[in-house]
Amino acid sequence: MSIPLANRVNETQISGIRKVFDLAAKMKNPINLSIGQPDFPVPEAIKKACCNAINANRNSYSQTQGIPDLREALKLRHNITDGQLLITSAVSGGLLLSCLALLNQGDEILMPDPYFVMYKQLPLMLGAKPVFYDTFPNWKIDLSRIESLITPRTKAILVNSPNNPTGAVLTRNELSDLGNILRKHNLLAISDEIYSSFCYDSQFTAMHEVYPHTLTLSGFSKSHAITGWRLGYAFGPEELIAAMTKFQQFTFVCAPTMVQAAGVACLAYDVQHYCDEYREKRNIIYHGLIEAGYDVEKPGGAFYIFPKVPSGYASDDEFVNACIANDLLLIPSNVFSERNTHFRISYAASNETIERGLAVLKKLYKK
Ligand code: PLP
């Protein structure tokens, strides 16, 4: 008997990243530069904090808004009030809740292209419309282009710095100039700051510092290598946080309680040495690609680099398939973009894996 699936099932694309994940599982010894998570192990103190919480029987539901000790630590860190904060099931949870709280059918939400995969799919699931502000070819924001895309249906703009998949970091001035446009149109910013710990050449600027009408989404998945634990948080306007809390009650209920307890240990753990290691990796991959002839911007953050497909290949898929035939796993740009001209490398890998990947990329480069 057939299942009467909702229309949104067919309207939602299967993540191109999952396809590469599945492929990697079947390969013997792939050179895997496709993974969007850190390659370092979870720091011992954080593992211990999680185990201790389990052993202390902190295993039941927590309050929807999160456990008091983590809330207090986050309020202090970000200088925010109680009503401005919600602990979420990672940034993905915060993204879903914010879309549920903001988007009616037919509403529009601005987002960068290239974008993190979920940005496009969540509004579509809700019958809303993703509207892209193109950042090709150097990943800079073009303010007049953004302003021209604002309509009476625009509800918010997504900002993501450092960016997945480009690694681009927006400067304080760029964010502030964007804030001025948003102020003029009374538009909410949703700032995804999940990669804020990985800024290599400048200090990180948070969007809310230059534009207070911002919902900030952040979390510990990338900074502390706990992508499987599902812990994040959202802070911003009280009215929006209250709406998101309502939807958390009826969806996630709460972020995993023992992981929330470990979140306090995450906040006490300085990840600067990981950032320093990743800066090294950024340098290795960037200089290797330039040497091989690739057209690529130097990324200032996250752990991705987004080169142009060399001429001689018809598309990103053709190039990525050639890489896969050489055991190298990458992600084509069409997964993150309306364009098919680039590819994403994640350099969250051992230096040896990066060097092996570079050797294949050098071999496959065509003028
Ligand atoms: N936002 C961006 C820009 C990401 O790259 C990712 C994961 O790759 C997420 C959000 C989701 O992170 P989380 O594990 O916190 O749900």
Side-chain angles (χ1 to χ4, degrees), residues 242-296:
M244 290 169 63
T245 307
K246 192 195 279 188
F247 287 119
Q248 173 135 293
Q249 226 158 49
F250 298 121
T251 52
F252 301 95
V253 179
C254 60
T257 304
M258 67 295 206
V259 177
Q260 291 188 60
V264 180
C266 288
L267 287 173
Y269 188 94
D270 186 358
V271 294
Q272 186 57 43
H273 61 293
Y274 292 132
C275 176
D276 294 340
E277 274 176 34
Y278 277 29
R279 183 186 297 105
E280 276 302 299
K281 293 179 193 294
R282 187 275 309 260
N283 291 343
I284 295 170
I285 192 91
Y286 173 69
H287 293 300
L289 286 166
I290 290 288
E291 224 170 78
Y294 283 84
D295 181 355
V296 66

Side-chain angles (χ1 to χ4, degrees), residues 147-158:
E147 194 163 19
S148 74
L149 295 170
I150 298 173
T151 76
R153 299 294 318 244
T154 310
K155 280 291 187 72
I157 180 169
L158 273 157

Side-chain angles (χ1 to χ4, degrees), residues 36 90-92 95 116 119 160 164 192 194-195 221-222 230 304:
V91 172
S92 303
L95 280 166
F116 170 53
Y119 296 170
N160 177 215
N164 176 11
D192 179 345
I194 190 164
Y195 294 104
S221 288
K222 315 285 178 174
R230 315 311 299 138
Y304 309 109

Side-chain angles (χ1 to χ4, degrees), residues 17 35-37 88-95 115-119 159-165 192-195 217-222 226-233 302-304 336 344:
I17 297 184
I35 302 179
Q37 61 183 347
T88 58
S89 278
V91 172
S92 303
L95 280 166
Y115 45 77
F116 170 53
V117 285
M118 208 175 275
Y119 296 170
V159 181
N160 177 215
S161 168
N163 177 276
N164 176 11
D192 179 345
E193 300 179 0
I194 190 164
Y195 294 104
L217 301 176
S218 194
F220 303 95
S221 288
K222 315 285 178 174
I226 53 168
T227 49
W229 287 13
R230 315 311 299 138
L231 184 64
Y233 55 97
F303 34 72
Y304 309 109
F336 311 98
R344 187 189 80 173

Side-chain angles (χ1 to χ4, degrees), residues 113-150:
D113 180 347
Y115 45 77
F116 170 53
V117 285
M118 208 175 275
Y119 296 170
K120 178 179 173 183
Q121 299 303 327
L122 285 178
L124 287 176
M125 283 182 207
L126 299 174
K129 187 176 163 199
V131 177
F132 306 106
Y133 56 93
D134 190 292
T135 63
F136 285 82
N138 57 2
W139 328 130
K140 292 283 170 207
I141 49 173
D142 178 334
L143 295 178
S144 54
R145 190 182 291 164
I146 288 178
E147 194 163 19
S148 74
L149 295 170
I150 298 173

